[in-house]
Amino acid sequence: MLGFFLARQAGLDDPLRLRRAESTRRVLGLELNKDRDVERIHGSGVNTLDIEPVEARYMLSGGSDGVIVLYDLENSSRQPYYTCKAVCSVGRNHPDVHKYSVETVQWYPHDTGMFTSSSFDKTLKVWDTNTLQTADVFNFEETVYSHHMSPVATKHCLVAVGTRGPKVQLCDLKSGSCSHILQVIFAGHRQEILAVSWSPRCEYVLATASADSRVKLWDVRRASGCLITLDQHNGKKSQAVESANTAHNGKVNGLCFTSDGLHLLTVGTDNRMRLWNSSNGENTLELYSGSRDCNILAWVPSLYEPVPDDEEPTTKSQLNPAFEDAWSSSDEEG
């Protein structure tokens, strides 16, 4: 690390090299916390988690049993080994509990007094954290797969909801109604919407992922709606006609923006993870190509060696673009 400081002070290194090196070190050092555990409340699988952005202290979890649990992540005991306790929960005996699997939970982006949940029971519920009672309930005609509130919105309180139908519904928390159905006959999705995410850069830009293998960016203010349809081939002709204008060769079941909103990360049932330029829709990098022998992958920023004076700039070598562990649990031991 001292070498990086000296090289930076002497002007021999790119200003970002130290930051990239430190990011690489931290990513490669990630491992499960052996000192912290979480109290087990759910009786079956956990589908969704969300940590509130204000203090990063409280966490919500939603399970396939319809139960919602609120955890306190702070170590109040000050002991090196501790278990994060459940503060409260919406259990099976709660009058407002979801009837079926909870698919998404999300804190209100600006304080911990409210959170939302959506479920296979075709509802989106708005909860008062203090009383643990529903403040509002949105009912839909079809199964709800995902919902999201904008983290930066100041001019609207819209919740985007992805349903089994090929449309995104926008629910207005202020008026308490589904104010707009985002659907374009020719440019819209053809199958269910599996994931939605608002841009953290522009409060009116929404990304949607569908079972039709497509990912679209929308401006909810525009009548035409769709801004970009992501293309994994970046506009180049492919041998498979069915893969044209698709983000993945399978259902796209997850997406999220980077914190600066400049890139979008998507994942599909084709075992691919891709990084996109959110402004022009360019497929910049395939981060992960899954197989039975690839269980661990960490993506880190590219690092570059200084170019010796006697070499051409084109000989600059790239270091550590990715690190992959090809260990498989099916390998024979001994």
Side-chain angles (χ1 to χ4, degrees), residues 180-192:
H180 183 59
I181 296 178
L182 183 61
Q183 184 180 26
V184 183
I185 297 177
F186 297 104
H189 289 291
R190 301 174 184 174
Q191 298 183 39
E192 57 263 35

Side-chain angles (χ1 to χ4, degrees), residues 85-139:
K85 297 294 184 179
V87 177
C88 55
S89 66
V90 180
R92 296 307 306 170
N93 296 325
H94 193 285
D96 297 323
V97 67
H98 284 288
K99 296 180 180 179
Y100 305 122
S101 173
V102 176
E103 295 302 298
T104 307
V105 291
Q106 185 188 5
W107 287 101
Y108 183 62
H110 306 296
D111 64 60
T112 58
M114 185 177 75
F115 66 89
T116 55
S117 64
S118 58
S119 166
F120 272 4
D121 63 8
K122 304 179 182 179
T123 63
L124 166 70
K125 296 186 177 183
V126 182
W127 299 84
D128 184 321
T129 309
N130 296 319
T131 63
L132 216 61
Q133 301 294 322
T134 53
D136 206 348
V137 179
F138 295 86
N139 294 284

Side-chain angles (χ1 to χ4, degrees), residues 281-332:
E282 180 186 5
N283 180 10
T284 63
L285 181 64
E286 184 176 285
L287 299 181
Y288 174 65
S289 178
S291 71
R292 63 185 293 273
D293 289 327
C294 295
N295 294 40
I296 303 171
L297 180 132
W299 177 66
V300 297
S302 299
L303 302 181
Y304 296 92
E305 292 180 339
V307 181
D309 295 336
D310 57 347
E311 292 186 17
E312 295 294 330
T314 55
T315 62
K316 182 182 293 186
S317 60
Q318 191 178 52
L319 298 177
N320 298 333
F323 296 83
E324 180 175 291
D325 182 356
W327 172 85
S328 172
S329 57
S330 62
D331 289 344
E332 295 183 359

Side-chain angles (χ1 to χ4, degrees), residues 222-288:
R222 296 177 50 173
S224 58
C226 186
L227 297 173
I228 303 173
T229 299
L230 302 185
D231 182 6
Q232 59 182 306
H233 306 292
N234 287 332
K236 299 178 181 178
K237 294 183 179 180
S238 63
Q239 295 179 354
V241 178
E242 61 272 13
S243 68
N245 294 322
T246 60
H248 289 266
N249 296 321
K251 298 179 180 180
V252 187
N253 53 5
L255 81 169
C256 68
F257 283 91
T258 55
S259 57
D260 57 11
L262 297 178
H263 292 86
L264 180 69
L265 187 67
T266 64
V267 63
T269 56
D270 57 354
N271 293 327
R272 299 291 194 275
M273 185 183 295
R274 293 194 169 98
L275 188 70
W276 308 82
N277 185 316
S278 60
S279 61
N280 59 19
E282 180 186 5
N283 180 10
T284 63
L285 181 64
E286 184 176 285
L287 299 181
Y288 174 65

Side-chain angles (χ1 to χ4, degrees), residues 63-181:
S64 57
D65 53 2
V67 173
I68 300 173
V69 183
L70 192 157
Y71 294 94
D72 186 350
L73 303 180
E74 186 177 54
N75 181 10
S76 56
S77 66
R78 305 302 177 188
Q79 299 297 319
Y81 304 97
Y82 69 102
T83 298
C84 299
K85 297 294 184 179
V87 177
C88 55
S89 66
V90 180
R92 296 307 306 170
N93 296 325
H94 193 285
D96 297 323
V97 67
H98 284 288
K99 296 180 180 179
Y100 305 122
S101 173
V102 176
E103 295 302 298
T104 307
V105 291
Q106 185 188 5
W107 287 101
Y108 183 62
H110 306 296
D111 64 60
T112 58
M114 185 177 75
F115 66 89
T116 55
S117 64
S118 58
S119 166
F120 272 4
D121 63 8
K122 304 179 182 179
T123 63
L124 166 70
K125 296 186 177 183
V126 182
W127 299 84
D128 184 321
T129 309
N130 296 319
T131 63
L132 216 61
Q133 301 294 322
T134 53
D136 206 348
V137 179
F138 295 86
N139 294 284
F140 302 89
E141 297 179 355
E142 297 173 302
T143 301
V144 177
Y145 289 108
S146 176
H147 78 271
H148 192 239
M149 289 182 286
S150 172
V152 296
T154 58
K155 298 179 181 179
H156 71 76
C157 285
L158 299 176
V159 182
V161 182
T163 65
R164 190 171 184 176
K167 57 190 177 185
V168 176
Q169 300 201 40
L170 300 181
C171 301
D172 192 345
L173 294 181
K174 289 183 178 180
S175 64
S177 65
C178 293
S179 61
H180 183 59
I181 296 178

